[in-house]
């Protein structure tokens, strides 16, 4: 599951290591450090290394692509500045910034997609294009995660180091108490947005797990006191912190639904129902408890559920207050004249500042302007450009939406919205929907003229911060025309109207049924959004190409999954990763030979001919029709025809064509849209961040039906009679928070497994003085490694992980969101069988004594 976790650390130069040591560890390789005359070799750990690379900015030496050169240059730049011995310095020099982020597992994203995601995350912070960055992905036992190393200096083409970048990731301000961090990269929000946007781009119905209403703290499992490691105390401390966080989140979910939804929104205007389901799945083990809490929240009078046009089930929700707030702001935008609200959009920040300054000088507005932004750094460029007009500038929280303390600071800075005062918001794309809506309504109330600036290069507005896009796309200037190279940028910024109009001008889309399926060209691919007809359409295309003699008649091959018809010259795509030959998922290759007798094919991939045994690996299919996700990995020189039949995939289909504008064409189904205006409207509504009034208010039919249907028993009605509830002789067993949801659900939803789990805790729990011998005896009776893990967890006998020198540098293993192992269905069923048999009287586990007849009772044979 995709989660939002990111941690940035400052790495310093020491007598034991600089950049060479951690970079060698991250890359799982060997790097020689000439300054320490030491070889750091971590190549023995390369079993979890998936991929990695070095991003070298323009103007840097190309030799930085070699990791040893990159590491040696970073260390040399810092050693050359050392004047005081390191052991005498209070603050060691910084040599780089280390970032670790959680990435979606391989069953959600293929490896090349995870690599694309990692590169987008590491290059998202401002000024990251000025420094060299090394990144790597590790496929660890816990969730897949990525590492990045940021250089803090720029280099010229000869490799000479320049000055360090100041205010790179964070901005400092000197105060009486010392340096104070006033701004910085919001890594949780950044990773959430980048992941969710990539899911939409690939056409995947996935969501990132929402941040909990009461976020927990990720503590280190090791405590160092007086040079001694105290694991037991730390383990108990972490366990107590987890239980407290779990109890606080359960209480938040069970309280006011409206307050919970607004907490989860975190400034957005809508929330996906799937995010709510994921939240309840994290904190409730029993499936019935999860469903009941989701239905209770969706049925609350203060919660509004929203559906896409024509959809039967709502996919979004919000509160009535937020719905009314954003709707009023949208109506204000629709009905305002240019004298009230002016929107200016530009391709980059520099152009945007110039256009805003020109617009302000042309207005001849009396008095100095008021400049507001999400942060003070958003106001600095335009404040410098208008310095002669003595502008006042600050944040929106200081002027309208903040706490009493922030509003007091705003009064000191003269940030009041007064009638006749011109207010400039140079980066409205960085302001969330709720704050921007309140600013619009307050400005309208105070009769204040607004100038809203929108930076297209920020690429916000697709999954959140959509109100700024709503204003810019509707009210922006229409005189400027955009070309092919601008369309992708416009779509990523959410400016659908400008993008679609540019695509029409460039001839990239047409309205009507797609008929030219490339019968004479096997290298033309068709993107089909309906998975129910993708195989049937592929067979139709194959028959047409055989009829046109572009392909030979298909050979029927016996595979691991049945029969498969393939032709020589036809392209195939892998749907899973293959080890022999080595092929990643989503790879395209043409067939060069077929051996029907042995059920093998030979393909051309990466300039080599590779043989695939279909009786051992059958996760391939014809690439005549592909999904949007697969089409994103198609070679750039291949022709692509994109069918647009699903309104939910409109933005993804438009972006796919925009990225491949030289070799792609979009065909819009007439049942979906017949004109440019209709397509623009549908594309706007297809964005996940669309405003509530752009969707249809509709109750959830599943939640409605639960009102008049009796509750469904989660247990199998054919199971034996339940055991009576025993008296609580010992504390209840701890919640197995370290296990994945399927395991927790299996234990909680089956009464016999729950009873066996309770008896197991009574037998091996820490309160039992004989837990050691008891655990040693029953470990040999387990039929599943999962049962062994449960016993070790309850007895606190889990093996201590071998802590290495870079454990602080890796993904924290104590994260409750991470699964220490992804158990197979067979292991889960075997563990369920073990727990059920534990509750049987007289079983080999010895938890219950055998049933004995009462004295004087007669046994009937």
């Amino acid at each position: 599951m995709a989660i939002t976790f990111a941690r940035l650390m400052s790495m310093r130069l020491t007598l034991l290591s600089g950049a060479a040591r951690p970079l060698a560890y991250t890359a799982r390789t060997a790097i020689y450090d000439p300054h320490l005359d030491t070889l750091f070799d971590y190549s023995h750990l390369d079993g979890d290394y998936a991929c990695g690379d070095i991003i070298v900015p323009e103007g840097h030496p190309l030799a930085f692509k070699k990791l040893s050169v990159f590491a040696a240059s970073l260390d040399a730049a810092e050693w050359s500045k050392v004047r005081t011995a390191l052991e005498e310095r209070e603050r060691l020099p910084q040599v780089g910034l280390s970032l670790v982020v959680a990435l979606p597992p391989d069953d959600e994203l293929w490896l090349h997609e995870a690599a694309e995601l990692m590169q987008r995350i590491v290059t998202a912070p401002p000024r990251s294009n000025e420094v060299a960055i090394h990144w790597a992905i590790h496929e660890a036992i816990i969730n897949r995660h990525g590492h990045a190393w940021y250089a803090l200096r720029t280099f010229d083409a000869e490799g000479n180091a320049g000055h360090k970048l100041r205010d790179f990731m964070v901005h400092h301000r000197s105060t009486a108490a010392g340096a104070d961090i006033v701004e910085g990269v919001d890594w949780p929000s950044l990773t959430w947005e980048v992941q969710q946007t990539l899911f939409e781009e690939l056409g995947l119905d996935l969501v990132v797990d929402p941040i909990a209403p009461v976020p927990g703290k990720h503590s280190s499992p090791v405590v160092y006191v007086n040079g001694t490691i105290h694991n037991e105390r730390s383990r108990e401390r972490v366990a107590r912190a987890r239980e407290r966080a779990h109890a606080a989140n359960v209480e938040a979910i069970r309280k006011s639904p409206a307050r919970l939804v607004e907490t989860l929104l975190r400034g957005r205007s809508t929330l996906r129902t799937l995010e709510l389901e994921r939240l309840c799945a994290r904190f409730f083990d029993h499936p019935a408890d999860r469903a009941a809490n989701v239905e209770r929240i969706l049925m609350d009078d203060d919660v509004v559920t929203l559906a896409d046009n024509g959809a039967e089930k709502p996919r979004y929700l919000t509160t009535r207050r937020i719905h009314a707030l954003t709707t009023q702001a949208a109506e204000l935008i629709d009905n305002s004249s240019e004298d009230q609200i002016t929107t200016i959009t530009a391709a980059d920040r520099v152009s945007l500042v110039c256009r805003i300054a020109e617009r302000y000088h042309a207005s001849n507005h009396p008095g100095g302007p008021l400049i507001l932004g999400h942060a003070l750094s958003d106001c600095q460029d335009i404040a410098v450009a208008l310095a002669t007009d003595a502008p006042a500038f600050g944040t929106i929280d200081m002027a309208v939406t903040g706490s009493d303390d922030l509003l007091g600071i705003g009064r000191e800075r003269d940030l009041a919205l007064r009638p006749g005062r011109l207010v400039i918001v140079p980066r409205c794309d960085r302001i969330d929907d709720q704050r921007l809506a309140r600013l619009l309504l307050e400005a309208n109330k105070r009769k204040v003229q607004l100038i809203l600036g929108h930076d297209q290069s920020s690429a916000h507005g697709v999954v959140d911060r959509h109100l700024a896009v709503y204003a810019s796309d509707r009210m922006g200037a229409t005189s400027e025309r955009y070309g092919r190279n601008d369309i992708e940028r416009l779509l990523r910024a959410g400016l659908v109207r400008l993008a679609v109009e540019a695509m029409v001008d460039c001839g990239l889309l047409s309205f009507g049924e797609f008929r030219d399926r490339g019968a004479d060209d096997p290298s033309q691919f068709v993107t089909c959004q309906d998975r129910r007809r993708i195989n049937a359409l592929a067979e139709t295309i194959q028959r047409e190409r055989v009829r046109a003699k572009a392909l030979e008649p298909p050979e029927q091959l016996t595979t691991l999954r049945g029969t498969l018809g393939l032709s020589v010259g036809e392209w195939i795509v892998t749907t899973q990763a293959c080890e022999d030959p080595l092929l990643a998922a989503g790879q395209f290759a043409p067939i060069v030979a077929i051996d029907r007798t042995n059920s093998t094919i030979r393909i051309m991939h990466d300039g080599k001919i590779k043989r695939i045994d279909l009786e051992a690996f059958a996760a391939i299919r014809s690439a005549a029709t592909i999904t949007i996700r697969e089409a994103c990995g198609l070679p750039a020189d291949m022709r692509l025809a994109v069918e647009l039949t699903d309104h939910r995939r409109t933005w993804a289909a438009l972006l796919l064509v925009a990225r491949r504008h030289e070799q792609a064409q979009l065909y819009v189904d007439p049942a979906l849209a017949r004109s440019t205006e209709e397509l623009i409207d549908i594309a706007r509504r297809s964005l996940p961040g669309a405003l509530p009034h752009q969707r249809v208010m509709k109750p959830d039919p599943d939640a409605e039906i639960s009102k008049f249907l009796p509750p469904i028993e989660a247990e199998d009605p054919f199971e034996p009679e339940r055991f009576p509830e025993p008296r609580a002789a010992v504390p209840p067993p701890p919640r197995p928070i370290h296990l994945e949801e399927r395991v927790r659900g299996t234990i909680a939803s089956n009464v016999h497994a729950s009873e066996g789990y309770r008896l197991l805790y009574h037998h091996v729990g820490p309160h039992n003085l004989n837990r050691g011998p008891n655990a040693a005896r029953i470990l040999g009776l387990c039929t599943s490694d999962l049962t062994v893990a449960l016993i070790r967890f309850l007895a606190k006998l889990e093996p201590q992980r071998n802590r290495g020198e870079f454990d602080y540098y890796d993904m924290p293993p104590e994260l409750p969101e991470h699964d220490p192992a992804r158990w197979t269905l067979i292991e889960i069923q075997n563990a369920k069988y073990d727990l059920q048999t534990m509750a049987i009287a007289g079983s080999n586990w010895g938890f219950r004594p055998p049933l004995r007849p009462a004295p004087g009772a007669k046994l009937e044979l």
Side-chain angles (χ1 to χ4, degrees):
M1 55 186 166
I3 64 174
T4 55
F5 175 84
R7 181 180 62 195
L8 187 72
M9 297 177 291
S10 175
M11 306 301 290
R12 300 184 180 276
L13 187 68
T14 69
L15 294 175
L16 298 178
S17 69
R21 192 173 196 171
L23 284 174
Y25 176 80
T26 301
R28 303 299 199 241
T29 186
I31 297 179
Y32 175 72
D33 190 337
H35 300 279
L36 301 178
D37 192 22
T38 304
L39 177 67
F40 298 112
D41 188 357
Y42 296 95
S43 56
H44 60 286
L45 302 176
D46 63 353
D48 64 352
Y49 182 81
C51 62
D53 196 8
I54 300 178
I55 302 174
V56 179
E58 184 178 357
H60 281 54
L62 295 179
F64 272 26
K65 277 290 185 178
K66 189 175 181 180
L67 188 59
S68 58
V69 175
F70 176 54
S73 299
L74 296 180
D75 287 341
E78 299 308 321
W79 280 111
S80 65
K81 304 294 182 181
V82 173
R83 298 294 180 266
T84 304
L86 294 182
E87 60 270 17
E88 299 177 4
R89 296 184 56 148
E90 293 183 2
R91 294 185 60 192
L92 297 174
Q94 294 180 341
V95 71
L97 296 178
S98 169
L99 174 70
V100 56
V101 297
L103 298 176
D106 54 2
D107 57 353
E108 293 186 0
L109 281 188
W110 295 331
L111 180 58
H112 70 274
E113 296 168 344
E116 174 70 18
L117 173 62
M118 185 64 187
Q119 293 178 76
R120 292 187 185 184
I121 291 175
V122 301
T123 57
R127 305 187 69 183
S128 60
N129 61 335
E130 300 180 30
V131 297
I133 307 170
H134 172 262
W135 63 270
I137 295 178
H138 293 170
E139 299 277 8
I141 298 177
I142 57 177
N143 280 10
R144 172 193 282 165
H145 62 275
H147 290 274
W149 180 284
Y150 292 91
L152 293 177
R153 297 180 184 273
T154 59
F155 291 80
D156 59 19
E158 285 73 31
N160 299 317
H163 295 291
K164 279 188 176 180
L165 296 184
R166 300 301 176 186
D167 293 345
F168 182 19
M169 293 292 181
V170 295
H171 298 285
H172 296 85
R173 178 176 58 198
S174 298
T175 62
D180 185 22
I181 297 177
V182 294
E183 294 180 33
V185 178
D186 183 2
W187 287 104
S189 298
L190 185 148
T191 55
W192 177 89
E193 183 178 8
V194 175
Q195 289 185 77
Q196 198 61 65
T197 303
L198 181 61
F199 289 159
E200 293 300 321
E201 180 180 333
L202 299 176
L204 301 177
D205 291 323
L206 298 173
V207 297
V208 184
D209 270 20
I211 300 175
V214 185
K217 295 182 179 180
H218 304 309
S219 305
S220 172
V222 172
V223 174
Y224 294 90
V225 179
N226 297 328
T228 306
I229 299 177
H230 298 263
N231 283 324
E232 289 294 333
R233 182 183 304 175
S234 178
R235 186 189 303 119
E236 295 175 0
R237 176 176 56 86
V238 171
R240 288 195 301 268
R242 289 182 184 178
E243 293 301 327
R244 286 195 299 268
H246 176 265
N249 282 290
V250 169
E251 183 181 6
I253 295 173
R254 286 175 172 168
K255 280 188 174 180
S256 169
R259 180 177 299 178
L260 172 67
V261 172
E262 293 195 5
T263 301
L264 296 177
L265 285 173
R266 302 186 187 278
R268 290 182 284 164
S269 58
T270 58
L271 179 77
R272 292 198 182 190
T273 56
L274 189 54
E275 292 182 64
L276 181 63
E277 294 172 3
R278 292 290 311 130
L279 178 72
C280 292
R282 193 193 312 175
F283 293 104
F284 294 96
D285 295 339
H286 203 293
D289 292 339
R290 302 173 187 174
N293 280 279
V294 171
E295 292 176 2
R296 177 183 57 84
I297 295 170
L298 295 180
M299 291 300 301
D300 190 81
D301 292 336
D302 292 330
V303 174
V304 178
T305 53
L306 308 166
D308 297 317
N309 288 345
E312 297 182 359
K313 187 175 176 62
R315 300 177 60 241
Y316 299 88
L317 71 151
T318 187
T319 63
R320 294 192 181 276
R321 187 184 73 86
I322 300 301
H323 189 288
L325 176 68
T326 56
T327 301
Q328 293 175 17
E331 292 176 351
L332 183 63
I333 292 172
D334 294 336
N335 300 325
S336 295
S337 62
E338 190 172 345
D339 295 336
Q340 296 173 297
I341 302 177
T342 302
T343 60
I344 301 173
T345 181
D348 52 62
R349 188 169 183 172
V350 176
S351 302
L352 181 61
V353 170
C354 294
R355 293 187 181 185
I356 293 176
E358 291 175 1
R359 178 66 179 81
Y360 170 75
H361 291 139
S363 64
N364 295 320
H365 205 279
L370 171 61
I371 304 174
L372 299 178
H374 171 74
L376 292 177
S377 60
D378 297 338
C379 311
Q380 291 175 350
D381 292 344
I382 190 64
V384 171
L386 303 179
T388 57
D389 298 284
F393 64 92
T395 67
I396 288 184
D397 285 341
M398 294 178 185
V400 179
T401 60
S403 61
D404 292 339
D405 293 338
L406 287 175
L407 293 176
I409 296 175
R411 287 190 292 269
E412 296 176 358
R413 300 174 69 106
D414 189 23
L415 303 183
L417 274 66
R418 295 189 293 268
R421 191 176 194 182
L422 179 64
V423 177
I424 301 175
V425 185
R427 294 294 304 278
C428 69
D429 53 277
R430 282 179 36 85
I431 302 172
D432 60 70
D433 292 346
Q434 296 183 29
R435 281 186 171 87
L436 186 56
R438 290 179 60 185
L439 174 64
L440 290 171
L441 296 178
E442 189 68 19
N444 181 64
K445 178 181 176 181
R446 303 287 183 182
K447 306 299 181 184
V448 171
Q449 182 181 354
L450 283 174
I451 295 180
L452 304 178
H454 181 273
D455 183 3
Q456 299 170 8
S457 63
S458 62
H460 300 307
V462 176
V463 296
D464 66 344
R465 284 173 275 186
H466 188 71
L467 186 58
V469 172
Y470 186 89
S472 301
D473 203 33
R474 276 171 164 73
M475 304 180 62
T478 58
S479 59
E480 183 176 1
R481 310 305 294 180
Y482 295 91
R484 290 176 179 262
N485 296 328
D486 302 316
I487 299 174
E488 182 180 354
R489 184 187 72 249
L490 295 172
L491 286 172
R492 292 194 180 279
L495 300 175
V496 173
R497 176 179 63 85
L498 301 178
V500 172
E501 290 176 351
M503 293 181 74
V504 173
D505 292 343
C506 297
L508 296 180
L509 62 85
S510 58
F511 298 90
E513 185 179 355
F514 171 59
R515 296 184 181 279
D516 181 17
R517 302 191 179 100
D520 57 343
D521 185 6
S523 64
Q524 175 171 312
F525 304 86
V526 178
T527 299
C528 179
Q529 301 170 5
D530 188 354
R531 288 186 173 272
R532 294 171 297 181
R533 59 184 290 263
I534 191 169
N535 292 329
L537 182 58
E539 293 176 359
T540 302
I541 295 175
Q542 189 183 59
R543 286 196 301 268
E544 293 178 357
R545 290 176 177 174
V546 170
R547 188 179 300 113
K549 296 184 179 181
L551 286 177
E552 296 294 330
E555 301 266 2
Q556 297 300 321
L557 304 174
T558 302
T559 72
L560 185 65
R561 301 179 179 179
T563 59
L564 181 64
L566 297 174
S567 302
V568 175
E570 185 177 9
W571 283 71
I572 56 100
V573 58
T574 58
T575 57
Q576 294 179 8
C578 178
E579 295 183 358
D580 185 21
L582 189 61
L583 290 171
Q587 298 295 299
F588 291 85
I591 300 175
V592 297
I594 296 177
D595 184 355
R596 186 175 60 180
T597 304
N598 297 318
S599 293
T600 61
I601 61 174
R602 295 185 183 273
I603 61 173
M604 178 64 70
H605 183 258
D606 287 342
K608 300 178 181 178
I609 296 179
K610 299 180 180 180
R611 176 181 175 274
I612 299 178
D613 184 359
L614 297 181
E615 293 184 350
F617 176 78
I620 65 170
R621 59 177 176 81
S622 172
T625 54
I626 55 179
T627 63
I628 291 179
R629 177 187 192 180
E630 294 165 342
C632 291
L634 194 67
D637 57 341
M638 298 299 177
R639 294 174 55 200
L640 181 65
V642 181
E643 284 187 323
L644 180 54
T645 57
D646 184 0
H647 67 280
R648 289 171 51 193
R649 304 285 185 262
T650 304
W651 180 79
L654 291 171
L655 183 62
L656 176 62
V657 175
R659 294 179 64 183
R660 308 176 55 86
H661 54 79
E662 297 294 340
Q663 299 290 339
Q665 183 75 17
L666 180 67
Y667 298 88
V668 183
D669 190 341
L672 187 67
R674 295 180 177 272
S675 64
T676 303
E677 291 74 18
E678 291 182 5
L679 180 60
I680 292 173
D681 183 64
I682 291 173
R684 283 171 171 167
R685 298 174 187 271
S686 73
L687 296 178
L691 300 179
H693 78 282
Q694 295 179 286
R695 297 190 170 95
V696 180
M697 294 179 59
K698 189 173 185 180
D700 191 329
D702 294 338
E704 287 281 356
I705 200 171
S706 65
K707 280 187 171 183
F708 52 86
L709 285 181
I712 301 174
E713 290 290 338
E715 295 295 329
D716 187 348
F718 298 102
E719 286 193 357
E721 183 180 357
R722 297 185 179 185
F723 293 105
E725 289 295 331
R727 294 182 179 179
V730 295
R735 177 174 179 259
I737 196 171
H738 68 300
L739 296 179
E740 58 179 311
E741 294 167 8
R742 291 183 302 170
V743 180
R744 291 191 279 111
T746 298
I747 297 175
S749 61
N750 186 278
V751 65
H752 307 297
S754 299
E755 174 65 5
Y757 185 70
R758 188 195 70 81
L759 293 172
L760 177 63
Y761 178 66
H762 176 68
H763 198 64
V764 301
H767 59 279
N768 193 326
L769 297 179
N770 296 323
R771 62 172 180 172
N774 291 345
R777 181 184 66 84
I778 64 176
L779 281 174
L781 303 176
C782 301
T783 62
S784 170
D785 291 338
L786 176 54
T787 312
V788 175
L790 284 170
I791 294 173
R792 293 187 176 278
F793 165 71
L794 293 177
K796 293 189 176 181
L797 298 176
E798 63 267 34
Q800 290 294 319
R801 206 167 58 93
N802 294 327
R803 300 195 59 81
E805 55 185 330
F806 283 104
D807 277 358
Y808 69 95
Y809 183 67
D810 273 323
M811 183 72 72
E814 74 278 5
L815 281 179
E817 296 91 343
H818 290 186
D819 306 329
R822 296 194 171 272
W823 308 102
T824 65
L825 183 60
I826 295 177
E827 289 172 324
I828 295 175
Q829 291 301 319
N830 288 339
K832 179 181 177 182
Y833 171 79
D834 286 343
L835 292 175
Q836 288 175 329
T837 55
M838 290 176 187
I840 298 177
S843 66
N844 291 336
W845 300 96
F847 296 171
R848 285 182 179 272
L851 295 177
R852 300 183 182 276
K858 295 182 179 180
L859 295 177
E860 298 182 1
L861 299 178

Short mmCIF file of all heavy atoms in Angstrom, two decimals, residues 401-415:
data_model
loop_
_atom_site.label_atom_id
_atom_site.label_comp_id
_atom_site.label_asym_id
_atom_site.label_seq_id
_atom_site.Cartn_x
_atom_site.Cartn_y
_atom_site.Cartn_z
N THR A 401 -6.96 33.80 7.32
CA THR A 401 -7.34 32.44 7.72
C THR A 401 -6.59 31.89 8.92
O THR A 401 -6.84 30.74 9.31
CB THR A 401 -7.10 31.48 6.54
OG1 THR A 401 -5.72 31.50 6.17
CG2 THR A 401 -7.94 31.88 5.34
N GLY A 402 -5.69 32.65 9.52
CA GLY A 402 -4.85 32.10 10.57
C GLY A 402 -5.44 32.18 11.95
O GLY A 402 -6.60 32.60 12.16
N SER A 403 -4.63 31.79 12.93
CA SER A 403 -5.02 31.86 14.33
C SER A 403 -4.97 33.31 14.81
O SER A 403 -4.54 34.22 14.08
CB SER A 403 -4.08 31.00 15.17
OG SER A 403 -2.74 31.47 15.06
N ASP A 404 -5.41 33.52 16.04
CA ASP A 404 -5.41 34.88 16.58
C ASP A 404 -4.00 35.45 16.64
O ASP A 404 -3.79 36.65 16.39
CB ASP A 404 -6.05 34.88 17.97
CG ASP A 404 -7.54 34.57 17.92
OD1 ASP A 404 -8.14 34.74 16.84
OD2 ASP A 404 -8.09 34.14 18.95
N ASP A 405 -3.02 34.61 16.96
CA ASP A 405 -1.64 35.09 17.02
C ASP A 405 -1.14 35.53 15.65
O ASP A 405 -0.51 36.59 15.52
CB ASP A 405 -0.72 34.01 17.58
CG ASP A 405 -1.02 33.69 19.04
OD1 ASP A 405 -1.62 34.55 19.71
OD2 ASP A 405 -0.66 32.58 19.49
N LEU A 406 -1.44 34.72 14.61
CA LEU A 406 -1.02 35.10 13.26
C LEU A 406 -1.76 36.33 12.77
O LEU A 406 -1.18 37.20 12.10
CB LEU A 406 -1.25 33.93 12.31
CG LEU A 406 -0.28 32.75 12.45
CD1 LEU A 406 -0.70 31.61 11.53
CD2 LEU A 406 1.15 33.17 12.13
N LEU A 407 -3.04 36.43 13.09
CA LEU A 407 -3.78 37.63 12.69
C LEU A 407 -3.24 38.86 13.39
O LEU A 407 -3.24 39.96 12.81
CB LEU A 407 -5.27 37.44 13.00
CG LEU A 407 -6.00 36.38 12.18
CD1 LEU A 407 -7.44 36.23 12.65
CD2 LEU A 407 -5.99 36.73 10.69
N GLY A 408 -2.77 38.71 14.62
CA GLY A 408 -2.14 39.84 15.31
C GLY A 408 -0.86 40.27 14.61
O GLY A 408 -0.59 41.48 14.48
N ILE A 409 -0.07 39.30 14.13
CA ILE A 409 1.13 39.66 13.35
C ILE A 409 0.71 40.38 12.07
O ILE A 409 1.38 41.33 11.63
CB ILE A 409 1.94 38.39 13.04
CG1 ILE A 409 2.45 37.75 14.33
CG2 ILE A 409 3.09 38.70 12.09
CD1 ILE A 409 3.17 36.43 14.12
N GLY A 410 -0.38 39.94 11.46
CA GLY A 410 -0.86 40.60 10.24
C GLY A 410 -1.27 42.04 10.49
O GLY A 410 -1.03 42.91 9.64
N ARG A 411 -1.87 42.31 11.62
CA ARG A 411 -2.24 43.70 11.93
C ARG A 411 -0.99 44.56 12.11
O ARG A 411 -0.97 45.74 11.70
CB ARG A 411 -3.11 43.74 13.18
CG ARG A 411 -4.53 43.21 12.95
CD ARG A 411 -5.42 43.48 14.14
NE ARG A 411 -5.03 42.69 15.30
CZ ARG A 411 -5.51 41.49 15.58
NH1 ARG A 411 -6.42 40.94 14.77
NH2 ARG A 411 -5.12 40.83 16.66
N GLU A 412 0.06 43.97 12.71
CA GLU A 412 1.31 44.72 12.85
C GLU A 412 1.95 45.02 11.50
O GLU A 412 2.58 46.06 11.33
CB GLU A 412 2.28 43.93 13.73
CG GLU A 412 1.81 43.74 15.17
CD GLU A 412 2.76 42.87 15.96
OE1 GLU A 412 3.76 42.41 15.36
OE2 GLU A 412 2.51 42.64 17.16
N ARG A 413 1.76 44.13 10.52
CA ARG A 413 2.34 44.31 9.19
C ARG A 413 1.40 45.05 8.24
O ARG A 413 1.69 45.19 7.06
CB ARG A 413 2.70 42.95 8.59
CG ARG A 413 3.71 42.17 9.41
CD ARG A 413 3.90 40.77 8.84
NE ARG A 413 4.56 40.80 7.55
CZ ARG A 413 5.83 40.45 7.32
NH1 ARG A 413 6.57 40.05 8.35
NH2 ARG A 413 6.36 40.49 6.13
N ASP A 414 0.25 45.50 8.74
CA ASP A 414 -0.75 46.21 7.94
C ASP A 414 -1.22 45.36 6.76
O ASP A 414 -1.14 45.75 5.60
CB ASP A 414 -0.18 47.54 7.43
CG ASP A 414 -1.26 48.41 6.78
OD1 ASP A 414 -2.46 48.21 7.10
OD2 ASP A 414 -0.91 49.25 5.93
N LEU A 415 -1.73 44.17 7.07
CA LEU A 415 -2.21 43.25 6.04
C LEU A 415 -3.73 43.23 5.95
O LEU A 415 -4.31 42.28 5.45
CB LEU A 415 -1.70 41.82 6.33
CG LEU A 415 -0.19 41.64 6.45
CD1 LEU A 415 0.15 40.17 6.66
CD2 LEU A 415 0.54 42.19 5.23
#
